[in-house]
């Protein structure tokens, strides 16, 4: 016997089916989730494993007593021929691992099996001008979106489930030398970005966009004399015109914000590092050249600079100042304070009062520094004038040997802070350089450096050194020396562990208190990404990207020759303890 249904019954049933929670559009991480990322252990929602980027996990399932048993859970290949410089930090949410790859690609992998869910590859024009390899350092996640930047200076938001484009916005003109390599940051519904291209005479900037539309909210140039904006209207000149830049030099001053920043909810400030002044030839731009080679503290709602601290005024060695300022709370001379720490490319480890930028200390974290003997009580470097490259005449100026090299005592690779030990774990490098100045004139889209250089190792047995630094004293508590440079980020956990990778292909684990090497695994290519950890289905996982590249093989001089045998690659490796 046939059964007939009234049309209203069908409509009611269909409506209920459409409204089912199983079919509802996934909402995804909220501002509250992102703010809690450092404490939550079931996901990784931010670059830095928390907006303060301490890269510390409270997880203890994997610890110093059992890490030697760690084994691969799976490895997922990025495939293709685009295997260069995998510097990304993965994100994890709702059973999916998101990771960016070289040449502006974004992948979604199943967090339990490693199976690829989708891949997005940006269509890059032929004229891109990345300074230091075709790298990308990670994405940001919010709601139904996963957001990342591209080498042609665009910001792209994809649906995190399907990988389809939601919006795609131009950050800057790639033909003028701009690019974008950092991981974006989400602060209260705004996407915070910087830019890359300091070697091309661009003007650095920090910008905020609406996370749902990609529309610009505010922009703050990092070079004095350039106008900021808020909601499409002028919002004041950065600094004061010609205060620290002569003539028109502020129009091509560099100061790229190419590493991204950190955010501190306790002070409601964004901390963003700025890069080298342009050109490298410091004799063409007398003065401090604000706000290059600095840390800026910005209001997240307006982009107004609340304070700044310049680590290398009148930088003549390409030391930059982009290195991350990590907020932490500790006693300073008996008083509980809100502090910030920064291991600068110039070789000094800084501690500041992060509420106002007041200088507290600067101590060396490498063995040889030739450009300055230290810092005075006001936080100004005490220069060694003879170690500044000389002014060029018709060809090149006087060459000097300087340490550290321009690739830095610490380059882009992020350090970590342990809430358990109170130590910072800094991936450092010991190298120097012959450097000299050359005549140069600005031309849009052309390299604007005015310097030449050759990088050389300082010691025959090692270049890289993972160092545990006590911020209260500047003392190096322990160190691990590595033959090749260290170029990857650091992770530390409450399990008394520190993880980092090496160009030789190893992911390694160390005792956080003593520095004893406890475990290592060779991934088949150099590890220059940042490891993460999370728990899932009752187990703790460790993940890291493998794929040799970055600035060292391109700019490393004699050092590059020493590591030219390392194979390139592109794979996400995930580890856990055996169930038995």
């Amino acid at each position: 016997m046939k059964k007939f249904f009234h049309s209203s019954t069908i409509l009611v049933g269909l409506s209920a089916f459409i409204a089912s929670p199983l079919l509802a559009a996934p909402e995804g991480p909220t501002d509250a989730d992102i703010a809690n990322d450092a404490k939550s252990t079931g996901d990784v929602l931010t670059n830095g494993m928390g907006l303060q980027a301490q890269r510390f996990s409270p997880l203890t399932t994997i610890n110093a007593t059992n890490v030697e048993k760690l084994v691969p859970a799976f490895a997922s290949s990025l495939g293709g021929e685009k295997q260069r410089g995998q510097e990304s930090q993965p994100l994890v949410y709702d059973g999916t691992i998101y990771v960016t790859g070289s040449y502006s690609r974004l992948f979604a992998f199943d967090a339990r099996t490693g199976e690829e869910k989708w891949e997005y590859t940006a269509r890059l024009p032929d004229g891109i001008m990345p300074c230091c390899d075709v790298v990308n350092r990670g994405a940001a996640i919010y709601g139904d979106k996963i957001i990342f930047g591209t080498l042609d200076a665009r910001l792209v938001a994809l649906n995190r489930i399907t990988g389809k484009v939601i919006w795609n916005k131009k950050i800057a003109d790639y033909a003028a030398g701009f690019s974008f390599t950092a991981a974006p940051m989400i602060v209260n519904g705004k996407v915070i970005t910087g830019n890359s291209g300091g070697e091309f005479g661009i003007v650095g900037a920090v910008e905020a966009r609406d996370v749902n539309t990609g529309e610009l909210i505010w922009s703050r140039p990092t070079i004095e004399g350039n106008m900021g904006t808020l909601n499409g209207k002028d919002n004041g000149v950065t600094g004061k015109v010609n205060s620290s830049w002569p003539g028109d030099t502020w129009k091509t001053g560099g100061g790229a914000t190419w590493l991204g920043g950190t955010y501190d909810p306790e002070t409601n400030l964004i901390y963003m590092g700025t890069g080298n002044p342009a050109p490298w030839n410091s004799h063409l731009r007398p003065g401090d050249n604000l706000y290059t080679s600095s840390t800026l503290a910005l209001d997240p709602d307006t982009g107004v600079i609340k304070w700044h601290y310049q680590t290398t005024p009148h930088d003549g060695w390409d030391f930059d100042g982009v290195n991350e300022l990590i907020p932490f709370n500790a006693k300073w001379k008996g008083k509980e304070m809100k502090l910030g720490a920064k291991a600068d490319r110039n070789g000094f480890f800084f501690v500041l009062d992060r509420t106002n930028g007041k200088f507290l200390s600067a101590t060396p974290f490498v063995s040889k520094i030739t450009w300055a003997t230290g810092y005075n009580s006001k936080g100004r470097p005490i220069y060694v004038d003879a170690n500044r490259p000389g002014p060029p005449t018709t060809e090149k100026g006087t060459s000097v040997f300087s340490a550290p090299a321009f690739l830095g005592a610490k380059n882009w690779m992020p350090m970590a802070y342990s809430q358990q030990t109170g130590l910072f774990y800094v991936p450092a490098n010991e190298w120097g350089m012959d450097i000299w100045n050359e005549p140069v004139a600005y031309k849009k889209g052309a390299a604007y450096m005015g310097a030449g250089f050759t990088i050389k190792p300082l010691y025959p047995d090692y270049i890289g050194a993972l160092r545990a630094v006590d911020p209260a004293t500047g003392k190096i508590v322990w160190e691990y020396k590595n033959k090749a440079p260290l170029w990857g980020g650091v992770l530390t956990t409450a399990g008394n562990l520190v993880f980092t990778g090496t160009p030789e292909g190893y992911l390694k684990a160390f005792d956080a208190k003593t520095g004893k090497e406890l475990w290592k695994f060779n991934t088949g290519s150099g590890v220059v990404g940042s490891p993460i950890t999370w728990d899932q289905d009752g187990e703790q996982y460790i993940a890291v990207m493998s794929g040799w590249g970055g600035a060292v093989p391109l700019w490393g001089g004699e050092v590059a020759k020493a590591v030219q045998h390392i194979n390139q690659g592109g794979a996400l490796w995930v580890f856990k303890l055996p169930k038995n």
Side-chain angles (χ1 to χ4, degrees):
M1 177 178 179
K2 293 182 180 180
K3 295 184 178 179
F4 296 92
F5 296 90
H6 194 275
S7 59
S8 61
T9 305
I10 298 175
L11 290 174
V12 169
L14 183 60
S15 298
F17 182 70
I18 293 173
S20 168
L22 295 175
L23 294 182
E27 293 182 355
T30 63
D31 287 309
D33 294 330
I34 291 170
N36 193 50
D37 190 35
K39 297 178 181 178
S40 65
T41 59
D43 48 36
V44 178
L45 304 179
T46 59
N47 184 57
M49 298 181 59
L51 289 169
Q52 293 181 321
Q54 293 183 350
R55 298 181 182 274
F56 171 80
S57 171
L59 288 171
T60 58
T61 301
I62 300 171
N63 55 61
T65 64
N66 62 19
V67 69
E68 63 181 1
K69 300 176 183 178
L70 209 60
V71 295
F74 60 81
S76 301
S77 174
L78 270 56
E81 299 176 355
K82 299 177 179 179
Q83 301 190 65
R84 279 177 52 181
Q86 310 301 342
E87 294 184 356
S88 177
Q89 181 219 283
L91 300 177
V92 183
Y93 181 73
D94 193 25
T96 303
I97 302 174
Y98 300 96
V99 65
T100 58
S102 53
Y103 290 99
S104 305
R105 296 174 294 162
L106 181 57
F107 298 80
F109 294 108
D110 188 295
R112 293 178 174 85
T113 66
E115 181 180 354
E116 182 178 306
K117 293 185 174 183
W118 54 259
E119 172 186 349
Y120 174 83
T121 299
R123 293 183 179 180
L124 298 175
D126 293 334
I128 59 171
M129 289 178 278
C131 139
C132 308
D133 206 5
V134 289
V135 300
N136 189 286
R137 298 187 176 98
I141 189 169
Y142 187 92
D144 63 345
K145 301 170 189 68
I146 186 88
I147 303 165
F148 82 122
T150 64
L151 290 168
D152 58 343
R154 302 191 71 89
L155 195 64
V156 183
L158 307 174
N159 182 286
R160 66 176 179 82
I161 301 296
T162 66
K164 300 300 182 183
V165 175
I166 296 175
W167 52 258
N168 185 328
K169 298 293 182 180
K170 178 180 177 180
I171 296 175
D173 180 11
Y174 73 87
F178 287 93
S179 57
F180 188 81
T181 54
M185 179 170 58
I186 307 292
V187 177
N188 299 329
K190 302 180 188 70
V191 188
I192 310 298
T193 59
N195 58 26
S196 304
E199 273 63 52
F200 295 92
I202 59 91
V203 171
V206 186
E207 297 185 332
R209 286 175 168 77
D210 185 290
V211 72
N212 292 312
T213 66
E215 294 301 317
L216 184 66
I217 297 173
W218 56 256
S219 178
R220 174 52 53 190
T222 61
I223 303 297
E224 281 193 327
N226 292 276
M227 179 65 72
T229 64
L230 175 63
N231 297 321
K233 298 179 180 179
D234 288 351
N235 192 34
V237 171
T238 298
K240 183 180 179 181
V241 180
N242 294 139
S243 175
S244 64
W245 293 86
D248 288 341
T249 55
W250 56 275
K251 296 180 180 179
T252 53
T257 46
W258 57 266
L259 190 55
T262 60
Y263 171 70
D264 177 33
E266 295 179 20
T267 59
N268 192 33
L269 292 173
I270 293 168
Y271 303 114
M272 188 74 73
T274 64
N276 59 281
W280 288 17
N281 182 347
S282 61
H283 300 279
L284 297 179
R285 43 172 175 78
D288 280 358
N289 310 134
L290 293 172
Y291 293 97
T292 63
S293 302
S294 300
T295 293
L296 306 182
L298 302 103
D299 184 314
D301 296 319
T302 65
V304 170
I305 297 174
K306 294 297 186 179
W307 60 256
H308 79 277
Y309 175 69
Q310 191 172 36
T311 50
T312 314
H314 194 46
D315 185 354
W317 304 265
D318 186 40
F319 284 147
D320 280 22
V322 294
N323 302 88
E324 68 281 6
L325 182 85
I326 296 182
F328 71 110
N329 296 337
K331 285 187 177 181
W332 188 265
K333 296 182 178 180
K335 179 183 178 182
E336 193 72 27
M337 293 184 65
K338 298 183 188 300
L339 304 172
K342 177 180 184 178
D344 200 271
R345 268 169 65 172
N346 69 19
F348 289 93
F349 184 92
F350 294 87
V351 179
L352 307 177
D353 181 335
R354 73 175 189 268
T355 67
N356 55 23
K358 181 182 177 181
F359 170 83
L360 298 176
S361 70
T363 51
F365 65 94
V366 286
S367 65
K368 187 171 186 177
I369 297 175
T370 61
W371 69 276
T373 58
Y375 282 70
N376 64 24
S377 60
K378 295 181 179 180
R380 297 277 301 185
I382 305 167
Y383 291 108
V384 178
D385 292 334
N387 198 249
R388 183 180 294 272
T393 53
T394 55
E395 293 186 3
K396 74 176 188 178
T398 304
S399 177
V400 299
F401 181 79
S402 179
F406 78 90
L407 286 179
K410 183 179 94 67
N411 197 275
W412 83 274
M413 52 279 193
M415 63 182 180
Y417 171 72
S418 172
Q419 298 175 14
Q420 184 182 63
T421 65
L423 301 175
F424 281 88
Y425 301 96
V426 183
N429 288 305
E430 298 276 7
W431 43 23
M433 62 179 172
D434 292 322
I435 182 170
W436 57 91
N437 286 322
E438 301 170 344
V440 67
Y442 174 76
K443 180 181 178 181
K444 180 180 177 180
Y448 187 46
M449 294 168 59
F453 48 82
T454 301
I455 293 182
K456 301 176 180 179
L458 293 180
Y459 306 109
D461 57 333
Y462 80 101
I463 298 173
L466 178 65
R467 290 182 168 133
V469 177
D470 183 342
T473 63
K475 179 183 177 182
I476 297 173
V477 177
W478 60 258
E479 68 177 0
Y480 155 77
K481 295 178 179 178
N482 195 71
K483 179 70 174 177
L486 293 180
W487 208 252
V490 183
L491 162 71
T492 185
T493 77
N496 190 35
L497 291 173
V498 175
F499 290 88
T500 197
T502 74
E504 293 89 343
Y506 288 101
L507 178 64
K508 294 192 173 189
F510 303 87
D511 186 298
K513 296 175 183 175
T514 67
K516 180 182 178 181
E517 184 177 313
L518 301 175
W519 172 85
K520 66 180 180 180
F521 180 88
N522 197 298
T523 64
S525 183
V527 177
V528 294
S530 296
I532 61 166
T533 188
W534 75 101
D535 59 10
Q536 175 179 281
D537 304 328
E539 297 179 280
Q540 184 181 349
Y541 289 78
I542 307 288
V544 73
M545 286 299 300
S546 169
W548 172 238
V552 174
L554 296 177
W555 295 82
E558 293 182 14
V559 172
K561 296 177 183 177
V563 293
Q564 63 184 355
H565 64 284
I566 297 174
N567 293 323
Q568 291 181 330
L572 168 70
W573 282 86
V574 177
F575 303 88
K576 66 174 185 176
L577 295 172
K579 282 191 174 182
N580 59 356

